[in-house]
Amino acid sequence: MKIRIFFSLTFVALILLSSCRGSLEETEYQKIRSANRMEKNVSRKSSNHLIAFFSEEIPQKDAYPWQKIDELKHPFITKEFFRCKGDKEHPSYLKADERIFDCNGFERHSLPLKDDKEFVYPVLISLLNHLQKTLNAPVTVTCGHRCPQHNRYCDTSVFNSTSKHMIGAEVDFLVQGYEKKPEEVIDAIMSFYKQKEYEGKEKYQSFQRYQKNDLNVSTPPWYNQEVFIKLYLAHEGRDYDNNHTLPYVSIQVRYDSQSNQRVTYTWQQAFYSYLRY
Ligand SMILES: [Zn+2]
């Protein structure tokens, strides 16, 4: 019984103490408030509004970098556009006694690798984005990287067996709205080398024509130090990836300006430089 009375008294004492402390703090607060109080007459004209009214609309912000790209109305070209267009659903076909099958598609193999990373020659990506910007029209990549199996599926000819598509150094494409005027596309490619960074680089700025008649095009290709441009007319260069009736342009990389080396097809690079999943 004594213990219960002791606890009850302690509890009451705690409540009294805490309430006293609260009222002390309150008094102190009131003192500070009165000491700092300033009283001033406020005058205003009848035309002054007591409350300022702000627009409820959120102000316009400068565009983010990707929004500026969107303004061009076409997506920015990346190496993703170059992935192999093979597909295991594509029907097999007979070539002499051999049945030709397509690859399993880009979900089952990578792009070519360089330093353990997926790689497409950067100048191809830069050129295609330059075309989109210069011509203000979207580019369609019909053929970027081709794994060796898809390359053979597209075209079994000996000529195609050393295609630079297999090493990420060639691209076939169309520019929407320019399908019937590919010469304007070629002019736009050349304009890429008129940019400031190529000033004084004569080998990049001047293009020559390839005159030997040993290729699969009738129009003499154009080339400079870095790239080789082929124009396929409507009846030329048809294969599984370019199975349409329009002229198209192909760009090959001749020279890697980063490593200062010629770019040529090698069997090892084509067959052993990409991952299978
Ligand atoms: Zn493939």
Side-chain angles (χ1 to χ4, degrees):
M1 179 61 79
K2 278 182 183 173
I3 292 168
R4 192 181 292 167
I5 291 167
F6 173 75
F7 277 120
S8 301
L9 286 170
T10 311
F11 181 67
V12 170
L14 280 170
I15 290 173
L16 284 169
L17 268 172
S18 64
S19 64
C20 281
R21 194 178 158 198
S23 62
L24 276 172
E25 281 176 2
E26 186 74 13
T27 313
E28 191 63 23
Y29 170 73
Q30 292 294 347
K31 278 183 189 168
I32 293 166
R33 203 173 168 208
S34 351
N36 290 285
R37 182 182 293 153
M38 286 174 67
E39 290 185 0
K40 253 185 170 181
N41 290 328
V42 177
S43 61
R44 68 177 177 88
K45 292 179 182 174
S46 60
S47 57
N48 291 146
H49 292 288
L50 195 59
I51 302 167
F53 293 97
F54 297 100
S55 167
E56 290 182 358
E57 285 182 23
I58 298 170
Q60 283 292 316
K61 188 187 179 309
D62 289 343
Y64 291 103
W66 67 85
Q67 288 172 325
K68 286 176 185 166
I69 291 163
D70 281 350
E71 283 168 14
L72 297 172
K73 299 190 180 85
H74 13 267
F76 194 73
I77 304 275
T78 66
K79 66 179 179 350
E80 298 304 314
F81 286 62
F82 286 71
R83 293 200 180 274
C84 181
K85 298 194 176 356
D87 191 326
K88 66 176 187 293
E89 300 298 323
H90 291 161
S92 64
Y93 63 91
L94 277 173
K95 185 76 182 177
D97 292 336
E98 185 189 0
R99 182 159 286 279
I100 311 288
F101 293 91
D102 201 356
C103 75
N104 288 325
F106 69 84
E107 289 176 347
R108 302 302 299 274
H109 69 75
S110 71
L111 289 168
L113 298 182
K114 187 176 182 183
D115 300 328
D116 296 331
K117 289 179 184 167
E118 290 193 305
F119 175 81
V120 169
Y121 280 86
V123 67
L124 295 179
I125 297 171
S126 300
L127 276 166
L128 296 187
N129 281 308
H130 172 79
L131 290 179
Q132 290 200 142
K133 189 177 170 189
T134 307
L135 301 172
N136 195 24
V139 165
T140 303
V141 174
T142 55
C143 179
H145 171 234
R146 274 178 181 164
C147 68
Q149 189 172 350
H150 183 60
N151 189 60
R152 183 157 162 70
Y153 180 82
C154 286
D155 179 356
T156 55
S157 69
V158 175
F159 183 85
N160 185 52
S161 64
T162 55
S163 161
K164 284 185 179 175
H165 282 295
M166 288 186 276
I167 60 168
E170 185 168 353
V171 64
D172 304 337
F173 64 94
L174 296 161
V175 183
Q176 201 173 304
Y178 288 82
E179 296 90 345
K180 299 282 175 67
K181 36 187 180 179
E183 63 287 347
E184 290 186 33
V185 175
I186 288 158
D187 285 345
I189 295 170
M190 292 178 184
S191 76
F192 177 81
Y193 292 97
K194 292 190 172 79
Q195 295 180 108
K196 204 171 180 181
E197 64 203 85
Y198 291 102
E199 266 179 22
K201 294 183 177 178
E202 180 61 20
K203 287 181 177 176
Y204 287 80
Q205 291 196 316
S206 67
F207 277 80
Q208 299 175 54
R209 303 299 291 272
Y210 182 85
Q211 298 294 351
K212 289 185 195 169
N213 195 21
D214 57 355
L215 298 176
N216 57 349
V217 284
S218 56
T219 311
W222 298 256
Y223 67 96
N224 69 354
Q225 170 86 352
E226 190 167 39
V227 293
F228 191 87
I229 308 164
K230 285 162 87 175
L231 168 59
Y232 289 95
L233 300 179
H235 59 282
E236 296 172 337
R238 301 301 123 174
D239 55 35
Y240 197 85
D241 280 344
N242 295 294
N243 193 19
H244 51 80
T245 55
L246 296 165
Y248 68 93
V249 176
S250 160
I251 307 175
Q252 294 176 29
V253 183
R254 298 182 69 225
Y255 189 80
D256 183 359
S257 55
Q258 292 183 346
S259 65
N260 292 321
Q261 287 181 328
R262 282 190 67 81
V263 176
T264 49
Y265 166 88
T266 65
W267 189 82
Q268 291 91 338
Q269 209 180 345
F271 282 80
Y272 290 112
S273 77
Y274 70 104
L275 297 173
R276 286 80 159 171
Y277 315 128

